[in-house]
Amino acid sequence: MSNRLKKVFDTPNKKAFIAFLTAGDPTADCTVECILEMERAGADLVEIGIPFSDPTAEGVVIQDANIRALKNGMTTDGAFEIVRRVREKSQIPLAFMTYANPVFHYGYDRFFAKCRELGVDAIIVPDMPFEEKREMEEPANAHDVAVISMIAPTSESRIREIASEAKGFLYVVSSMGVTGVRSEIRTDLGAIVESIRKVTDIPCAVGFGISTPEQAKAMAEVSDGAIVGSAIVKIIAKYGEKAAPEVYRYVKSMKDAVAQV
Amino acid sequence: MSKGRYGIYGGQYISETLMNELIHLEECYENYKNDPEFQRELDTLNREYAGRPSLLYYAEKMTKDLGGAKIYLKREDLNHTGSHKINNVLGQALLAKRMGKTRIIAETGAGQHGVATATAAALLGMECEIYMGKEDTVRQALNVYRMELLGAKVHPVTTGTQTLKDAVNECMREWTNRVDDTLYVLGSVMGPHPFPMIVRDFQSVISREAKAQILEKEGKLPAAVVACVGGGSNSMGAFYNFIEDKEVELIGCEAAGKGVDTAFTAATIATGSLGIFHGMKSYFCQDEYGQIAPVYSISAGLDYPGIGPEHAYLHDIGRAQYVPITDDEAVDAFEYLARTEGIICAIESAHAVAHVKKIAKNYRPDQSIIICLSGRGDKDVAAIARYRGVDIHE
């Protein structure tokens, strides 16, 4: 695991705030600017979505961001270029979030070699479950990129095997369904984190449906951090190329809420 | 290698939220597959409700006209609801019911699978919701109304290309939302394991019957079995019980649309490459960055950018061959079969007819070819009329 990734959760009792945005939505320049503002606002890790034509795990908000980014010409190489530009100014931990096919098609080894060269620390692939992850994890490990495992409200008996092999941190999916803002999160996340804790002390971050500082705080109380995507993408959709200051304001409010825990 | 593999193809590339449900589905299926009570119930439904066995019809006029092999049509178009889709749907709906589900959801392209699913839901007293690309709801308006008559709710899908692949995306998203009481009744031999296996097994009734029927009529196996391929369910059903009979050629007909050298095609084997999508590793139409390509065919049922993993495997090992058929060829064959045999088949099935028109003369009169006539063509009449420049009101 990279040193940057280790740092995300390394301070005892400090909760992490993880921010997501889609590469190239609406432009590469805007994405670079927003990532730097996220860091300045206190984000501990940024997830960069490599857009995919058919993002089956996403709700409407991130689906639309994928479409906008692809329409504006964003590609896997374009996402790497964004990372290169961010790394000229920042050492914030970075993860890619995308689907199996863009990575598979790029070539696993070529993809992860480039991740290491440019400084991407982890990857999250929602359509690569425990049963299938090996084909991606071996080349990723060889290049020191952590493949982040996910745990869902339905995982139950699977939690043990998934957690025991997890690297970096565990992405705990807060709710059933796809990504998107939810008014209420009903899953008993405390119980899920407790089952994970029986197997491993790897950090757990909760994502899906979180948009308000209150929700982020509640999630951080039962875990090691909160992940927010759709709420940020909504801001970017609304303000377009002028989104960076708004993203800063929002991430700051979320980070402050998480830090109160 | 994980479960549900055909060579390197297949697998379970799906979100963690659905994994336990897929494992549960596989367990239940393996259990009921060998349960005499379940099999008896399914068999009764197939015979008494769906109208099985379907006829194996000797197309004598077509045979004489083409000059060569004897042509037989496996008449899946005569099944209740008008296509082979009912074979799989009755099996899956019955399985859903045994699993304690009260609601089934499904994607549909041409509407055939949606109509079949809505029918099974009505029969078995289950809630039913169908996801259909908005463009397809326009192309196949009659089938939308048919599903609504059967008590299903039809959701027009407005994302992406608004066709079959987007309907699958939306159905997967909905299933992720609600697995407790809902089974996703997948319509083709695609998606994550165990779907390619389950759908193949339920569709294999086609070749089980056809094999017995041709042996009775001809006293020997056919020289070839020909079927259209989108995801590949009718073709896998028509091929399956002939796979071990190496002397039987297996030929799948893909939708070439306006031609495999144009951007307006859905011929996956001819133009696609290896990828991971919709839960499986297989061939897909995609660009240099692995973005799934928009595909095109006159036939909504073949308008899909991938192919089932077992087909990909049969292609790789050379056991089956896959040929592209253009819109023009399919429409010609659609009209030809209507005039020659008095059968209006689905535009999907017409792709298989078109290929046999080309190859029949290469065989001897003591050889036979079975075409899987996967569906009937009422749904396509208006679209074919438009294709020929005739404006009719449905």
Side-chain angles (χ1 to χ4, degrees), chain B residues 193-263:
Chain B
H193 177 70
F195 285 112
M197 171 182 77
I198 291 178
V199 179
R200 175 202 68 201
D201 287 356
F202 288 138
Q203 290 295 359
S204 66
V205 67
I206 300 173
S207 50
R208 196 159 59 242
E209 289 175 5
K211 194 169 180 175
Q213 289 166 322
I214 197 80
L215 286 173
E216 197 193 313
K217 287 175 196 284
E218 291 293 318
K220 62 176 181 180
L221 292 171
V225 177
V226 183
C228 63
V229 184
S233 70
N234 93 84
S235 48
M236 190 49 66
F239 291 174
Y240 191 62
N241 288 285
F242 292 109
I243 290 175
E244 297 303 317
D245 304 312
K246 299 283 192 264
E247 69 272 34
V248 180
E249 284 178 67
L250 306 175
I251 305 171
C253 302
E254 297 193 300
K258 296 184 176 170
V260 293
D261 47 1
T262 72

Side-chain angles (χ1 to χ4, degrees), chain A residues 185-238:
Chain A
I185 293 167
R186 293 160 188 262
T187 311
D188 186 354
L189 292 157
I192 291 177
V193 173
E194 208 172 293
S195 329
I196 296 168
R197 284 287 162 266
K198 285 182 189 150
V199 188
T200 169
D201 54 6
I202 195 167
C204 299
V206 180
F208 277 42
I210 303 168
S211 64
T212 65
E214 292 72 31
Q215 285 173 323
K217 183 164 178 259
M219 292 304 118
E221 268 161 7
V222 295
S223 70
D224 303 296
I227 306 170
V228 173
S230 296
I232 293 171
V233 171
K234 258 186 169 172
I235 292 170
I236 294 172
K238 184 172 172 190

Side-chain angles (χ1 to χ4, degrees), chain A residues 234-249:
Chain A
K234 258 186 169 172
I235 292 170
I236 294 172
K238 184 172 172 190
Y239 294 96
E241 302 219 40
K242 297 188 181 72
E246 300 298 330
V247 168
Y248 171 84
R249 235 188 308 278

Side-chain angles (χ1 to χ4, degrees), chain A residues 51-56 58 63 70 75 77 101 105 126-127 129 131-132 135 150 152 154-155 158 162 176-177, chain B residues 2 5 11-17 20 159 165 169 173 176 275-277 281 286-292:
Chain A
F52 182 49
S53 52
D54 298 81
T56 49
E58 313 297 350
Q63 282 177 46
L70 289 171
T75 63
D77 283 321
N101 204 46
H105 203 80
D127 56 350
E131 280 74 2
E132 305 294 352
E135 67 178 75
M150 300 178 100
T154 49
S155 293
R158 296 167 55 78
I162 296 171
M176 297 298 289
Chain B
S2 65
R5 292 283 175 171
Q12 294 181 294
Y13 300 89
I14 201 80
S15 70
E16 172 57 24
T17 305
N20 252 337
T159 52
K165 95 175 154 94
N169 292 347
R173 290 182 185 121
T176 316
I276 298 170
F277 183 49
K281 188 176 277 180
Q286 54 186 322
D287 75 5
E288 57 176 316
Y289 285 106
Q291 305 293 343
I292 303 303

